Amino acid sequence: MTAVDTLFAVEPVGSELAAQVDEHGHALTHRILDPAACREIAALYDRPELFRATIDMARHRFGAGQYRYFADPVPEPIAALRASCYPHLLPVARAWAERLGRPAPWPDTLAEWLTMCHAAGQRRPTPILLRYGPGDWNALHRDLYGDLVFPLQVVIGLDEPGVDYTGGEFLMAEQRFRAQSRGTAIALPQGHGLVFTTRDRPIRSARGWSAAPMRHGVSTVRSGLRRTLGLVFHDAA
């Protein structure tokens, strides 16, 4: 079902994709899930027993639409995707921490890292299914959830833009040091992942490296149904 191991190299600049993440703070992967797997994962949304929470975005003024957080234990296909992505993102995370002079507390495996999160009181799973219909959108935000944060996350498209829905571009806004913010809009192909910055990332400045805060969201869906799987690599308090 997945081809995660073909997408990344172990070294942070050892592949084009990892280099793009390092350079831009985001990168679109090759196909991770085939169409059948996308449909299988999207169908999990209609099994409420699998989830710990359902969020109405309009009620909380997050936008419009709905998303659900998986409960523990996270279904095996989702847990496997999350665990297999983590070690490939780890070199970039550690390199960024070094540039910014920050601690790099992340161990070699996701299981070890989640144990650290749980010990710190962040025990609630954060893998998420999102569903948007016509008129739905998601405000620019950051998925932090507690003091322990992994600096990269992944969103995977489960429907095909231009076929299953229109609009609904993935949005990112990066705050540049002493400059206007830079915006990016990406149509997320079905089965492909987008690796992107969780909180901030290092950018070169006249004094060395500085942290550029980044937020993400979704533009208004004009028609159809847009569903995505979100993989955050730290759990929530």
Side-chain angles (χ1 to χ4, degrees):
M1 183 174 73
T2 70
V4 171
D5 288 338
T6 68
L7 300 178
F8 303 95
V10 173
E11 296 300 325
V13 294
S15 73
E16 181 180 352
L17 186 142
Q20 289 178 20
V21 174
D22 193 51
E23 176 69 19
H24 303 294
H26 60 86
L28 193 64
T29 76
H30 302 298
R31 184 179 295 276
I32 293 176
L33 301 174
D34 62 32
C38 289
R39 291 190 294 270
E40 178 183 336
I41 291 174
L44 297 178
Y45 201 93
D46 296 321
R47 297 177 57 189
E49 71 276 10
L50 297 177
F51 300 91
R52 64 173 177 84
T54 299
I55 307 299
D56 184 322
M57 286 189 274
R59 176 183 176 187
H60 297 279
R61 302 185 69 181
F62 296 160
Q66 192 180 84
Y67 58 85
R68 286 179 164 170
Y69 287 103
F70 282 100
D72 197 10
V74 175
E76 177 57 28
I78 312 304
L81 270 173
R82 194 184 187 202
S84 60
C85 284
Y86 172 87
H88 300 295
L89 302 176
L90 189 57
V92 178
R94 288 171 172 169
W96 285 6
E98 182 179 1
R99 291 173 194 169
L100 293 173
R102 294 175 176 174
W106 313 290
D108 291 341
T109 68
L110 180 64
E112 293 173 287
W113 170 237
L114 294 181
T115 296
M116 291 174 60
C117 289
H118 298 171
Q122 295 177 213
R123 299 185 178 91
R124 295 185 296 167
T126 51
I128 183 174
L129 274 182
L130 304 100
R131 184 171 68 180
Y132 301 83
D136 290 344
W137 58 283
N138 194 353
L140 295 172
H141 65 284
R142 294 184 289 185
D143 300 316
L144 300 181
Y145 303 125
D147 292 334
L148 297 183
V149 175
F150 192 76
L152 295 161
Q153 58 194 90
V154 177
V155 61
I156 302 172
L158 302 178
D159 295 292
E160 189 65 52
V163 177
D164 299 312
Y165 66 93
T166 60
E169 294 85 4
F170 190 87
L171 304 176
M172 289 170 284
E174 181 178 270
Q175 183 178 330
R176 309 290 288 178
F177 183 67
R178 293 185 178 178
Q180 297 290 338
S181 297
R182 180 174 67 179
T184 304
I186 296 176
L188 188 59
Q190 184 184 48
H192 295 242
L194 180 71
V195 180
F196 64 98
T197 304
T198 300
R199 178 175 57 189
D200 55 25
R201 72 181 190 91
I203 60 171
R204 289 191 181 275
S205 67
R207 299 180 180 179
W209 294 96
S210 62
M214 182 177 281
R215 287 176 166 79
H216 64 276
V218 176
S219 71
T220 302
V221 174
R222 296 191 295 274
S223 65
L225 182 63
R226 178 194 189 274
R227 296 166 295 183
T228 56
L229 170 67
L231 301 176
V232 180
F233 298 95
H234 47 269
D235 279 351

